[in-house]
Amino acid sequence: MNFQKQYLKSKPVCKVIFKLSKDEAKNAEKVFIVGDFNDWDMAKTPMKKLKNDSFSTIVLLPKDAEYQFRYLLDDGQWENDWNADADAYITSPMSFEDNSVLAV
């Protein structure tokens, strides 16, 4: 699990490329990125499954903000970004599990 931040010069947004390896996806057929930036909608932001069975998606986020997020595997298993890419972790008031935090 990792992501890359690319700040656009022409707009006050950051292009975030989320990636999930085959092993991190745990043989999932579908993966969604779910968070503050899409109102925690579990179907709004699917990740594309690549030929090597990894997943990727791009999200444009307004700068100077923090966003909580998690990965949803096959409509049931939640995962965080545990590879030290997340800027922080915050306990969710809904599940009392950690959410990854992305600061842009």
Side-chain angles (χ1 to χ4, degrees), residues 63-74:
K63 286 179 20 179
D64 302 322
E66 289 188 346
Y67 303 92
Q68 293 183 41
F69 73 95
R70 295 187 85 188
Y71 299 95
L72 178 60
L73 312 179
D74 283 335

Side-chain angles (χ1 to χ4, degrees), residues 20-59:
L20 197 64
S21 73
K22 175 183 176 180
D23 291 338
E24 293 162 337
K26 301 179 182 179
N27 298 318
E29 290 299 316
K30 297 184 291 182
V31 176
F32 294 84
I33 187 82
V34 185
D36 293 334
F37 46 80
N38 62 12
D39 296 322
W40 292 92
D41 186 324
M42 293 187 283
K44 195 171 189 177
T45 312
M47 297 182 75
K48 182 179 179 181
K49 189 170 187 177
L50 305 176
K51 289 181 182 181
N52 64 0
D53 291 331
S54 66
F55 289 84
S56 180
T57 196
I58 296 172
V59 179

Side-chain angles (χ1 to χ4, degrees), residues 5-15 63-64 103-104:
K5 301 174 190 176
Q6 297 177 351
Y7 293 91
L8 303 182
K9 293 179 181 178
S10 60
K11 298 178 184 177
V13 298
C14 180
K15 179 170 102 172
K63 286 179 20 179
D64 302 322
V104 295

Side-chain angles (χ1 to χ4, degrees), residues 77-97:
Q77 183 176 353
W78 291 94
E79 290 291 334
N80 274 317
D81 195 309
W82 295 119
N83 285 345
D85 287 328
D87 295 308
Y89 300 95
I90 295 177
T91 302
S92 167
M94 302 300 287
S95 67
F96 302 106
E97 295 182 43

